[in-house]
Structures are given as structure tokens and as C-alpha cells.
Amino acid sequence: MHAHAGKWYLFVTLHDEAQTLAEPPEVLITTYRRGTAVAVADSPYGPFRLLDAERPQTPDAFMALDGTLWVEDGVPWLVYAHEWIQRLDGTMEAVRLSPDLSRSEGEPLHLFKASYAPWLGERITADDRALPPYVTDGPELFRSRTGELLMLWSTYLGLAGTQGYVQTQARSVSGRLAGPWELAPVLVGDNAGHGMPFRAFDGTLLLVVHRPFGSPATRAKLYELHDAGDRFDLGRRRTDLDGGD
């Protein structure tokens, strides 16, 4: 959810499994319509109304998810993950939005591939390469205290559930959305990710991630997060806030 231009906008990923997509021959899993749709309300409590009830704001033929808003030079962009299911090597992309956020404009902008992460080759075994583990999830952008453009994003170390889900980060070398993007090491392991930075009421910068698999059941985990300018540094786990494991 984003406050923008006097309104509240909810970016939600929706699935339509009945509408399959054309597939290149190397895709091993049936692809279907999936995208991020944008809804608007006057209040964060809603009610929310879809800006376009017929299609998502992500490209119509893409399996896209986890879209988020980023505004650069007054121009709104939808930053999203293009599914590895369709791409084999998942990508982060962005598409320009109209001023009212109701539709995309122009061609998607490629940011980076999941396989660009230099540490993936050190963690993935030969057995894990039976299927591509190159997943992109959960982009969330943040302008650091020194003006650097950082992105939180998540991927897997190996196939889903085998070596775990991780929270990692990237930095735009140019400080602009177009990049180029430099991918940094894992920030949070322990089968948790899909994170978002936020400030507590006392001003402390925190990171919330979800733990998607295993036991205990899915729940939020909270960490202190340090804005180092060119990167995030992870602080202590706040079990006093998230209830612990």
C-alpha cells in the first residue's frame, strides 16, 4: 500500500488459472495469467476500487507478481518480479505508469536477473540445477540517508524448500531505477524473506520479513535495520516485538 497524490493505492497480485498463456518449449510448468493490479481508495481503510477491472497494470502476457510503486522525477513506475516459471531465470523489471496509475505506458525496463547474484553459484549444488532456482520475489525500494537507491528482494538458495528462502538486497550504481544494479550478499537467511523496511513510532528503522515454510507456521519476523548509505546492515532480531519462534 502506498500513499500517493492524496490517495491510497493498493498493489495486489491476482491469479487467473483459467487463462493460460503461450509458453516457450523450455517452460516446464503451465503458465497462466498472473499480474499486479492497482486499486485506489481515499483512506488506507478502504474501500478500494480496482483502477482497471479487466487487466493488471503489469504487462498482460507476463506472469508477474509483487508489484510496488516507485516515483522518480515525478514519474510513477511499477516495479515487479517477472516469474521464473515463465522466464526460467526470474527478472526484476519496471514499467512506467500513467499519472493516475491506471495503465502502463511503454515497454518494460529490465533491471536484473536472479542469476546475477554472485553468491548463488557458491550455494547451489549440482543437484539443485535439475530445475532453475533463479527466483525473483518481493522488490521494495528505499532511498538511503546518503541518496543511494537500494532494493530489498528475495530468492531461493536452491529449489523451493530445499535450501531456504532468503532476503537479499541490491544497489543501483547510478542511483536511478534504470541501474545498473549491483547485487549484494544475503541479508537474512533462515528461510525468511519478502521484506519491507519501515520506521517504528520511535523512529527506529525496522525490517519485517515473513517465514514462509516449515515450523512454526508462517509469521512475521522483525529485525532492526541500519541504513549504511550504500547498503542495509542487519541489526538484532526483535523477538520482543514479533513474539519469537
Side-chain angles (χ1 to χ4, degrees):
M1 189 184 297
H2 299 267
H4 175 71
K7 301 283 187 179
W8 291 85
Y9 291 88
L10 182 65
F11 287 62
V12 57
T13 299
L14 300 173
H15 302 239
D16 182 1
E17 296 185 16
Q19 186 171 332
T20 58
L21 300 174
E23 302 169 0
E26 65 270 17
V27 171
L28 304 177
I29 301 173
T30 299
T31 59
Y32 55 87
R33 195 181 199 190
R34 176 188 298 178
T36 295
V38 184
V40 64
D42 293 324
S43 160
Y45 301 103
F48 282 87
R49 171 185 57 84
L50 284 172
L51 292 176
D52 188 337
E54 299 298 322
R55 59 186 50 80
Q57 275 66 35
T58 48
D60 212 27
F62 289 5
M63 286 193 79
L65 72 166
D66 299 345
T68 190
L69 177 67
W70 182 250
V71 180
E72 189 169 274
D73 298 332
V75 176
W77 290 82
L78 174 58
V79 182
Y80 60 91
H82 194 166
E83 278 276 45
W84 75 274
I85 295 172
Q86 191 177 41
R87 296 295 305 267
L88 298 183
D89 191 350
T91 58
M92 286 299 181
E93 299 173 2
V95 66
R96 183 172 175 160
L97 293 174
S98 60
D100 66 357
L101 312 191
S102 66
R103 65 186 186 279
S104 59
E105 298 181 338
E107 295 299 314
L109 177 67
H110 172 83
L111 304 182
F112 60 83
K113 295 181 179 181
S115 63
Y116 286 178
W119 40 266
L120 273 176
E122 302 170 3
R123 305 287 191 94
I124 296 172
T125 68
D127 290 341
D128 292 320
R129 294 193 178 95
L131 284 174
Y134 301 126
V135 173
T136 45
D137 272 353
E140 189 67 26
L141 293 105
F142 183 90
R143 187 69 70 179
S144 79
R145 60 179 178 79
T146 58
E148 300 270 10
L149 180 57
L150 307 178
M151 181 194 292
L152 290 168
W153 68 287
S154 290
T155 190
Y156 290 102
L157 297 179
L159 297 179
T162 60
Q163 292 190 34
Y165 197 52
V166 296
Q167 179 65 63
T168 185
Q169 60 182 313
R171 179 182 72 92
S172 171
V173 175
S174 69
R176 310 280 296 177
L177 182 60
W181 287 85
E182 178 181 81
L183 306 191
V186 170
L187 189 65
V188 182
D190 196 26
N191 215 18
H194 217 290
M196 180 180 290
F198 70 99
R199 291 200 179 274
F201 292 117
D202 65 1
T204 302
L205 184 62
L206 296 174
L207 171 68
V208 58
V209 296
H210 70 65
R211 167 179 267 174
F213 305 107
S215 180
T218 300
R219 63 184 305 167
K221 298 173 69 175
L222 292 166
Y223 295 86
E224 291 182 358
L225 195 63
H226 303 302
D227 178 356
D230 64 344
R231 67 188 186 281
F232 289 118
D233 288 333
L234 192 68
R236 65 189 177 103
R237 169 90 182 275
R238 292 298 301 268
T239 54
D240 57 316
L241 298 177
D242 66 23
D245 289 335

